[in-house]
Amino acid sequence: MQENSLSVFNFEACQKCSICNTVCPMMAANPSYPGPKKAGPDQERYRLKDPAFYDYALKYCLSCKRCEVACPSGVQVADIIQKARLEHAPSSKHPMRDAMLAHTDFMGTLASPFAGLVNEVLPLRPVKAVLDGAFGIDARRTFPKYSSEKFTTWFHRKTEKEQARFDRFVTYFHGCYVNYNYPQLAKDFVKVMNAAGYGVHLLEKERCCGVALVANNFGRQAVRQAKVNIASMEKAVAGGEEVLTTSSSCTYMMRNDYSEVLNLPTDGYRDSLSLACKWLYGKIQSGDVKLRFRKDFRMKLSYHTACHMQRLGWQTYTIELLKLVPGVELTVLDQNCCGIAGTFGFKKENYPYSQKVGSVLFEDIRRSNPQAVVTECETCKWQIEMSTGIPVLNPISVIAAALED
Amino acid sequence: MGGKTMRFDTVVIGGGRAGQEAALTRARLGKKVCLVSAGLTLHVLEPGAEGHPYGLLKNLADEGVTVLRGDVVTGGNWDGMLLREVFTANGVDLQADEFVLATGRFFSRGLVADMNGIRESIFGADVDCPEDRSLWFDSDFFAPQPFESFGVKTDGNKRISIGGNFALNVYAAGKILGGKYNAGK
Amino acid sequence: MIKEYDVIIVGGGITGACTARDCALRGLKTLLIEREDLCDGASGRNHGLLHSGARYAVNDPEGARECIRENLILKKIASNCVEATGGLFISLPEDGLDWQAKFVTKCREAGIDARILDPEKVKREVPAVNQSIIGAVSVPDASVDPFRLTDANALDAVRHGADILKFCSVEDFVRESGRVVGVRVRNAGGTQEIRGREVVLAAGIWAARLAEKAGVHISMLPSKGSLLVFGHRVADIVINRCRKPSNADIIVPDDAVSVLGTTSDKVPFEDCDDMRVTAAEVEVLLKEGVQLVPSLAHTRIIRAYAGVRPLVSEGGDGRSASRGIVLLDHETRDGVPGLITITGGKLTTARLMAEMTADLVCSKLGVNAKCRTAQLPLTGSETAERKVSKVIDHKLGNKAQEGTLAAVGRHGSESLKMDFKGPGAELVCECEQVTRAEIAYSIKEFGVRNLQDLRRHTRIGMGTCQGSHCVRRAAEILAEELGCPDRAGEFLNDYLQERWKGMTPVLWGETLREAEFMRNRYGRKDYEI
């Protein structure tokens, strides 16, 4: 008895040391946000008594999970807040907008066939004004461009057959952003894996991981999509393949939040789901894989640890991997939040907080003066590119560029 | 599962003052060091280390120490009394020649107490403390508290013992050493 | 202060406060004297359970009937002190269902709405409950905050003309030709005599010692009851064991915590002023408590405390001695006119005890006035909580302002007097959501001396961290509000020592971590503020 105390997301372990508050980027930017300590473990006790204690200001939580990294007591502060929002948040003032932002794959499916038009139209001032006024999407925000050819289309048409020549395979979870907006990253991934001697399979069925759905309180839809992904990942793992991704947020969602926030089983794939860089580093270390790099490759890079990457705790693998690439001059930036937090920064009411939160990071980036910033998170990429004008690359793209042809 | 093992000369477990000092000393001797810290900072329990919100961890990175933040060691692989590698909650495996146990006392969970006793949290190392929990405290809040002097048993080289046998390559540092030396600190 | 009161009530617990209110409402010139703060003794050291009477239905039908009557009255007049959680009586396999059948029959005879439930349904709806239950009965048990209830009665007494003298101990009685005509009291200002036509002892277990001073012997049996406070609500409903009353067979949701109790052990009178929970009691409580709610085995225990039941003894152990109401007219019983003792009883029946006492006082004084305490809502409960919180939201123009909802929960319509704007908006105790506005109000209304007093009226420092987060700030604010900034350190140290007493019996796990943290921050007495 009493060997350990258990509570939902370990909220009882909170010692009220308040270290989480000191690392919360939103608390510093927005005084009306109560901060992780209060919003999480403190108010949770009163929410258990009466849901009326739900504080509307919880909508400002970025879910960056820095509080969880900082907590010396292992309290899953951000999960407590996320669950409270799923259970108690009042309905949105911009239901249409939130649905659009949250359903990334649905929007992608709509936009891709008209990518040219959409990319032309979205940046136009009148269109932005309409989005801003009617939908609450901030006019100052730059939209990620939609690609005219989805990655999956390219994959099936151009490379699927070619993959069959390998005798070992990894399964790739590409994610919405790669599929609809940035197929180049996926092409880089295929290039790197092939160079490592592995063929690439896709999941039997892939849906958006659901991180944006959860953040916008579409819990039930998130569960539906998660179940599809879980079944596909279990199948891939049962077939002896590891599931690799290039996005830290998708990975965190599927590795941790599927079980912890959505209460779904993850045992069937959890240990075999990895970020491509972590997997690659391990393979190189164990001697399984040897990559040959160009001799003339030179690049000055700054590594930004995305918040969810920090929570995964795997940035060390990426950093060590990049150090193996000859010609890379790498600065590791202090871990700070870029402020976009997925869909948060797109919302008109959040835009100023979003930019204020990111300002520390933007300044660090400018000071380090890189040719490109490297990070595993696609939304960090939009935010940093928009706010600093410096290009942002996924580390896999850096590896691909440095490979000997 | 491949793809998660990293190799170091020394793995320091615990990012408090003692752990940071142990890591820094070895890094300056040219060793490849990894430090695992449960949080981001150390100034919660050690007011003297205020200032930069990351305490000394930032300086450690500058000295070439690999720092795993927000991660905890959950267990290890032993070869007799030789510790080969440790595992973390985030799924990172760390191999090293020597390990430093600097996980502190109760607050930082180096020691864990339940109503029946006190144990060392990672390896179940032998702990020097009375069984009777009424002897753990003084009823005067302001008096020195017995629990503040509890720690692991060690040999002359500060190596921990497990079930009466001393580990060959695991050294205790800081508050988890216990004893009057540390009481009240 | 006036020269002569109609009635002097000694003891500022729930019984005394209720009696003061009743007497004041009947137009008597009333004085309530308390040696410490209101609700300092047994009134503040119990379950916070508003009995439905079901617990007593089998062994004490009269007590059961009293309870259900009072239960229904308090839900009406003390809406902001009572949370109508409902209660369950669960049967485990080893209990069998024989006792349940008897229990339900007896409950119904006493007028208690006891309903046999489908245990499968209960397991689904109250997932915390032991899943091996074979039976469950619902009863109208509720959670009541004894601090709020005592405060509300005291405030109402004052509003109807009563005086309250706190931090003032009764040294002796003033006697004139055998008759008690007043009391001699001592407080910080020295001693003085206060005259009263009737003196009522409502001092719980301490009444026995006081009565001796008037040459009256009351045979009382101090019975220690220990309880454990768990860090959060494990269930939203009171859970009892459906069997003969025994140790640790009730768990009550109180505010944001759960309270498990009790034990029952005879203790010497000398111990009554400083009750400490022993390791053995903690073990008994836990062992039995997990039978009700298994997750208690893994729930943080933030504190242990104990109170003394003022049982009037007719031999036997604490549990079988009468827990009924004992009203003693010492004029007829002992030939000491002017002195009355009210004791025994329960938190739930305090209003009834007061009514019986005030009836006796009035008959002695020849006053013909009816009791109105069962009809008039208490201070703070005049307006529904939700309405009050809406008014506050409207004034602040801000939904769910930190701490305001908690203040409304604790003080009902009284919270309309708090100024949540400006400096008042500062949230001081973050566990229990106490704002500076609530602190300022409590200092003004209750004559708070120190942080322990402030805690009783606000819940400050009663949450998970037992004050380690907020006590320093709270001490600063209290010292500032009282106009004695140099005393902040003293407030801080005294409060920590008092919290320590409750933490040490459960000093393991998260609570030991908190203790180390607390010691690190405040372990030196010379801590500078």
Side-chain angles (χ1 to χ4, degrees), chain A residues 2 6 12 15 37 45-46, chain C residues 232 297-298 300 430 432:
Chain A
Q2 291 280 312
L6 299 175
E12 281 207 324
Q15 306 287 310
K37 171 181 172 289
R45 293 172 68 244
Y46 271 83
Chain C
H232 68 278
H298 302 287
R300 178 169 175 178
E430 296 185 357
E432 296 297 307

Side-chain angles (χ1 to χ4, degrees), chain C residues 8 10 170-176 179-185 193-194 199-201 207-216 330 336 338-341:
Chain C
I8 296 173
V10 182
V170 170
E171 301 262 289
D172 207 346
F173 297 99
V174 182
R175 312 271 301 260
E176 274 173 14
R179 184 179 180 89
V180 171
V181 294
V183 290
R184 199 168 74 241
V185 298
E193 280 186 13
I194 307 172
V199 174
V200 174
L201 295 183
R209 272 187 296 184
L210 276 170
E212 299 286 346
K213 295 181 195 285
V216 169
H330 296 297
V336 182
L339 189 66
I340 292 167
T341 295

Side-chain angles (χ1 to χ4, degrees), chain B residues 77-145:
Chain B
N77 249 342
W78 293 82
D79 188 351
M81 291 314 291
L82 189 71
L83 183 59
R84 294 289 189 190
E85 61 181 339
V86 291
F87 322 117
T88 76
N90 283 342
V92 180
D93 295 353
L94 301 164
Q95 290 180 350
D97 299 330
E98 63 157 8
F99 296 83
V100 178
L101 183 68
T103 43
R105 257 184 329 241
F106 299 99
F107 182 88
S108 48
R109 294 212 172 110
L111 300 179
V112 175
D114 63 39
M115 68 188 297
N116 303 312
I118 291 172
R119 62 193 159 79
E120 187 278 312
S121 61
I122 299 174
F123 306 112
D126 302 330
V127 177
D128 196 5
C129 70
E131 268 181 37
D132 179 357
R133 68 170 196 271
S134 63
L135 301 175
W136 296 353
F137 61 87
D138 188 302
S139 60
D140 178 359
F141 174 75
F142 299 96
Q145 295 294 329

